[in-house]
């Protein structure tokens, strides 16, 4: 018999794990109307960063050039360190310039859809997720999900001496020296996730969550078979998850269903998976802050909860006000052991 998730009445304490790839940031940018510079895909990185001219000037052909393959070859041979450093500088500066608009974005909804028991793990260099994390502190305070940056991030700073992670440029909470930028893990075929202490630690945290997860949502990340290291690190602990036979995988992607199923088949247990092309149709956004609780009620107790989807808000304050009753219910549970209701009413 599979192990049941840790439950207390209607409250499920198992984590919901969300994995983000480049497709998530691209979807977020399109959703808010495309204001500001776009987050590029790896395929479009060369043109977005105006890299064709310096690459051609260095004697390379850019026709049908695959950025990941080109960078991997450049880094492996290391025969043109000046070009490699130029590319890395352009990448860092461009991603550092990206900024969320004032209006609510997918990343704001995402931060507010999860509790402190949950985690968002991102492969993205852009600062969108962390910007949303910071600006929603006013309503969530310490009731936000944990975030891990699996390939580094332009907004993350670290203190190597004290092993402190924070916002790039702010002071270390221990030694008060400025945090230094975290190094980005660039696209090479064989990634060494142990090379950087920071990235190694981020992966260790994620693996611990995956090993206990009751729900796994993947948004805009294809887990390419060529990224053997990442797939292996995640699949090993997912297969060892004691609730695997009861847990659910949710894939949010615009690719054909057949392609998605083939790509993620190793992570599926039997028929326990969902596929949708929009995060607003996801189980997570239809049961914000209650995804694991609602799923357990439906599958373990045969008592499905009604959907409680996010409305479409015009301002961040409206979104935060809608979420507040859910947070208040969580506080009441911790203080008085008041169980969750299936659908707490938001303010009018």
């Amino acid at each position: 018999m599979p192990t049941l998730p840790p439950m207390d009445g209607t409250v499920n304490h198992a984590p919901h794990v969300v994995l983000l790839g480049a497709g998530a940031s691209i979807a977020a940018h399109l959703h808010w109307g495309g204001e500001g510079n776009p987050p590029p895909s790896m395929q479009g990185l060369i043109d977005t960063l105006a890299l064709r001219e310096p690459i051609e000037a260095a004697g390379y052909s850019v026709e049908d050039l695959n950025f990941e393959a080109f960078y991997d070859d450049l880094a492996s041979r290391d025969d043109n360190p000046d070009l490699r450093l130029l590319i890395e500088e352009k990448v860092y500066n461009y991603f550092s310039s990206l900024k969320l608009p004032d209006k609510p974005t997918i990343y704001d909804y995402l931060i507010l859809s999860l509790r402190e028991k949950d985690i968002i793990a991102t492969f993205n260099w852009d600062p969108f997720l962390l910007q949303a994390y910071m600006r929603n502190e006013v309503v969530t305070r310490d009731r936000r999900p944990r975030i891990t940056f699996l390939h580094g991030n332009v907004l993350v700073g670290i203190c190597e001496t004290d092993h402190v992670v924070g916002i790039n440029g702010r002071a270390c909470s221990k030694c008060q020296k400025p945090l230094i930028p975290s190094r980005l893990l660039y696209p090479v075929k064989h990634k060494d996730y142990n090379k950087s202490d920071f990235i190694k630690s981020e992966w260790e945290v994620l693996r611990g969550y995956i090993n206990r997860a009751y729900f796994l949502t993947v948004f805009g990340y294809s887990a390419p078979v060529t990224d053997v290291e990442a797939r292996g690190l995640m699949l090993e602990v997912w297969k060892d998850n004691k609730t695997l036979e009861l847990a659910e995988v949710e894939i949010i992607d615009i690719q054909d269903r057949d392609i998605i199923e083939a790509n993620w088949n190793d992570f599926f247990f039997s028929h326990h998976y969902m596929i949708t092309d929009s995060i607003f149709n996801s189980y997570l956004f239809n049961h914000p802050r209650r995804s694991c609780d609602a799923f357990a009620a439906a599958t373990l107790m045969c008592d499905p909860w009604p959907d409680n989807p996010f409305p479409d808000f015009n301002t961040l304050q409206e979104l935060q006000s809608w979420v507040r009753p859910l947070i208040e219910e969580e506080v009441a549970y911790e203080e008085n052991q008041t169980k969750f209701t299936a659908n707490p009413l938001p303010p009018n």
Side-chain angles (χ1 to χ4, degrees):
M1 291 290 292
T3 302
L4 295 175
M7 297 284 295
D8 179 13
T10 58
V11 181
N12 188 331
H13 298 284
H16 190 142
V17 174
V18 179
L19 294 176
L20 300 180
S25 288
I26 293 171
H29 186 258
L30 293 173
H31 170 259
W32 75 59
E35 297 177 21
N37 291 332
S41 64
M42 280 297 167
Q43 292 84 354
L45 204 59
I46 290 176
D47 290 319
T48 302
L49 272 59
L51 290 170
R52 287 184 178 270
E53 185 175 335
I55 290 175
E56 286 182 332
Y60 300 94
S61 172
V62 295
E63 187 175 351
D64 299 323
L65 187 65
N66 178 284
F67 177 79
E68 293 183 87
F70 174 73
Y71 182 88
D72 177 70
D73 186 52
L74 190 66
S76 299
R77 290 187 287 109
D78 200 28
D79 57 358
N80 197 329
D82 290 339
L83 178 60
R84 178 175 57 81
L85 291 173
L86 174 65
I87 291 173
E88 292 177 0
E89 181 181 12
K90 280 181 169 288
V91 166
Y92 196 94
N93 290 340
Y94 183 85
F95 279 87
S96 296
S97 72
L98 300 179
K99 186 178 180 181
L100 290 178
D102 292 334
K103 65 184 70 173
T105 71
I106 281 175
Y107 280 127
D108 296 294
Y109 287 97
L110 180 59
I111 291 294
L112 294 175
S113 72
L114 297 163
R115 306 206 298 269
E116 63 271 22
K117 69 179 180 65
D118 306 315
I119 190 170
I120 305 172
T122 178
F123 288 90
N124 299 336
W125 297 327
D126 66 68
F128 295 145
L129 181 65
L130 196 47
Q131 288 172 351
Y133 187 85
M134 290 189 292
R135 74 184 189 178
N136 284 291
E137 182 181 12
V138 63
V139 64
T140 56
R141 299 191 181 278
D142 59 344
R143 298 179 184 279
R144 293 170 292 178
R146 181 154 186 176
I147 301 178
T148 57
F149 301 94
L150 305 176
H151 285 177
N153 189 271
V154 296
L155 195 51
V156 173
I158 60 174
C159 175
E160 295 178 336
T161 302
D162 296 312
H163 304 289
V164 170
V165 178
I167 304 301
N168 190 8
R170 292 185 181 178
C172 170
S173 58
K174 293 184 178 179
C175 68
Q176 301 306 311
K177 293 180 180 178
L179 298 174
I180 63 173
S182 63
R183 295 188 61 182
L184 303 183
L185 187 60
Y186 287 90
V188 293
K189 292 178 183 176
H190 301 290
K191 299 178 179 66
D192 184 358
Y193 289 112
N194 293 316
K195 189 172 183 180
S196 161
D197 287 342
F198 165 65
I199 290 179
K200 178 183 178 182
S201 175
E202 298 292 274
W203 272 98
E204 288 174 349
V205 169
L206 172 61
R207 279 165 53 84
Y209 274 81
I210 290 178
N211 189 241
R212 298 179 286 110
Y214 187 55
F215 215 114
L216 173 63
T217 293
V218 182
F219 180 25
Y221 172 63
S222 63
V225 176
T226 52
D227 197 351
V228 177
E229 291 81 6
R231 287 183 68 93
L233 286 171
M234 293 187 291
L235 188 57
E236 178 186 21
V237 289
W238 178 242
K239 290 293 188 182
D240 191 47
N241 187 317
K242 299 298 187 295
T243 62
L244 181 63
E245 295 180 31
L246 302 173
E248 188 80 359
V249 177
E250 178 177 54
I251 310 295
I252 305 165
D253 205 306
I254 59 174
Q255 294 188 91
D256 291 340
R257 186 180 184 92
D258 291 345
I259 295 175
I260 296 172
E261 289 178 335
N263 199 32
W264 286 97
N265 183 60
D266 290 348
F267 287 81
F268 298 153
F269 180 84
S270 183
H271 59 287
H272 295 184
Y273 64 93
M274 314 173 184
I275 297 175
T276 182
D277 62 359
S278 169
I279 194 168
F280 287 97
N281 296 330
S282 69
Y283 200 88
L284 177 60
F285 274 24
N286 274 289
H287 297 280
R289 305 188 74 84
R290 301 293 183 269
S291 53
C292 292
D293 317 284
F295 189 70
T299 59
L300 300 181
M301 294 177 269
C302 298
D303 184 22
W305 291 2
D307 286 352
N308 185 33
F310 279 124
D312 187 14
F313 295 106
N314 293 318
T315 70
L316 195 58
Q317 291 71 29
E318 290 173 335
L319 169 60
Q320 293 169 344
S321 294
W322 187 89
V323 168
R324 191 165 281 112
L326 294 168
I327 297 175
E328 291 173 353
E329 187 181 59
E330 294 157 22
V331 174
Y333 165 73
E334 291 183 3
E335 294 179 349
N336 306 311
Q337 296 302 295
T338 306
K339 302 299 186 288
F340 290 169
T341 56
N343 193 358
L345 294 175
N348 295 325

